Amino acid sequence: MKHLSKSFVAALSSATFFVVAPALAADHLDTPTVIADPAADIGDLYAWTSSDGRRLTLVMDIVGKRFSDQVQYVFHVDSGQRYGATTVGTRLLCQFDAAGVVRCWAGREDGVQGDAGASAGLTSRSGRLRVFAGQRDDPYFNNVRGTRAALNAAAEAVRAGQAPSDASGFPASTGRR
């Protein structure tokens, strides 16, 4: 260590500082709310519209085996004629009691309450709100070894300068140059 230059030591100290600097991010089971109530841990959120554009489907999955009775699950949905031109905002709120009975509402007049675990779920009187809340088999399948091999091959192609690039020069995954 006696032969290290001052600039190398300074660079090493700077690099170490950036490596150990705290990150401001969260993942499953590490926020104060989820530590206090693991049932509050949301896994994923999916949203899509029907092909005719008349129905919005929202899917939220949770990490645990039940919904928390200590939190309120809220979807904020904004829409408009084009991206960035929001003209309507809707808030959908759902709350579960300790027995798993759900109460969901959108606005002041459209809501459902009851056991939403049946495959038909619950439908509001207006028919504009339908809620299903219950366990289903997760259709997620992954060949971990194959995925890892593909990621390693892509990383090697980038390192070797053989990966195609997009217009900005960033490596692209489209397979086109």
Side-chain angles (χ1 to χ4, degrees):
M1 288 289 237
K2 291 180 184 180
H3 302 293
L4 293 177
S5 72
K6 289 181 182 178
S7 61
F8 177 76
V9 173
L12 182 61
S13 298
S14 296
T16 303
F17 171 76
F18 288 114
V19 171
V20 296
L24 300 175
D27 194 10
H28 301 293
L29 300 176
D30 64 354
T31 64
T33 301
V34 173
I35 290 169
D37 183 9
D41 196 2
I42 297 172
D44 296 297
L45 175 66
Y46 307 93
W48 67 91
T49 56
S50 59
S51 59
D52 63 5
R54 296 180 56 94
R55 184 176 50 244
L56 172 66
T57 301
L58 300 169
V59 176
M60 178 189 75
D61 62 27
I62 57 173
V63 175
K65 295 190 182 284
R66 66 174 182 82
F67 292 95
S68 173
D69 61 348
Q70 300 298 308
V71 298
Q72 193 174 69
Y73 299 94
V74 182
F75 295 95
H76 295 273
V77 181
D78 294 329
S79 63
Q81 290 295 318
R82 66 182 201 288
Y83 183 74
T86 300
T87 57
V88 177
T90 301
R91 203 168 57 155
L92 171 65
L93 297 94
C94 292
Q95 203 160 357
F96 293 81
D97 67 17
V101 173
V102 65
R103 180 174 176 247
C104 294
W105 60 99
R108 294 182 180 167
E109 299 177 21
D110 213 5
V112 296
Q113 182 172 345
D115 177 7
S119 60
L122 299 170
T123 303
S124 67
R125 287 184 197 182
S126 71
R128 297 185 65 199
L129 175 64
R130 190 174 128 207
V131 175
F132 167 81
Q135 290 187 340
R136 287 293 186 251
D137 188 18
D138 186 350
Y140 178 78
F141 299 98
N142 185 11
N143 173 349
V144 175
R145 287 186 182 130
T147 300
R148 176 57 48 205
L151 291 172
N152 289 340
E156 183 55 37
V158 169
R159 277 192 292 276
Q162 299 171 342
S165 298
D166 64 15
S168 67
F170 193 78
S173 60
T174 62
R176 297 181 201 152
R177 284 193 180 256

